[in-house]
Amino acid sequence: MQLTAPATRRTGIRDTDGMAVASFILGLLGLLVLNIFLGPIAIVLASVALWRGTQRRGRALLGLGLGVADLLVLVAFVQADSTISWSF
């Protein structure tokens, strides 16, 4: 007895498009807060979306770039005050 419909190709594409958008949003938020967590998550989501062939390739690439930028900002702040926590 099957309770749900089988996954279709369209569902898979929508999932990867959602991952691309999520990586972009998390990468953007990571520039402001919690970059130590949001940066790597954005990188992973963007990489998976690109690997699965998302229709939103540009958004996934932006998410990947922003995730890397999050980590670079973290490294810059750690070098500036020798601690992982930082404030404005």
Side-chain angles (χ1 to χ4, degrees), residues 15 22 28 35 50:
D15 289 346
L28 200 57
N35 51 1
L50 288 169

Side-chain angles (χ1 to χ4, degrees), residues 2-57:
Q2 186 175 4
L3 298 176
T4 59
T8 62
R9 177 72 179 138
R10 181 68 192 143
T11 303
I13 291 171
R14 271 197 356 229
D15 289 346
T16 58
D17 290 349
M19 284 184 209
V21 172
S23 71
F24 173 72
I25 292 171
L26 291 176
L28 200 57
L29 283 174
L31 289 174
L32 302 174
V33 294
L34 298 173
N35 51 1
I36 195 167
F37 299 111
L38 297 180
I41 293 172
I43 292 169
V44 169
L45 283 175
S47 299
V48 170
L50 288 169
W51 182 70
R52 289 187 178 177
T54 181
Q55 297 288 330
R56 299 178 184 247
R57 185 171 171 78

Side-chain angles (χ1 to χ4, degrees), residues 46-79:
S47 299
V48 170
L50 288 169
W51 182 70
R52 289 187 178 177
T54 181
Q55 297 288 330
R56 299 178 184 247
R57 185 171 171 78
R59 191 81 35 100
L61 290 172
L62 282 172
L64 185 64
L66 286 169
V68 171
D70 292 345
L71 297 179
L72 292 175
V73 166
L74 176 66
V75 168
F77 279 118
V78 166
Q79 292 296 319

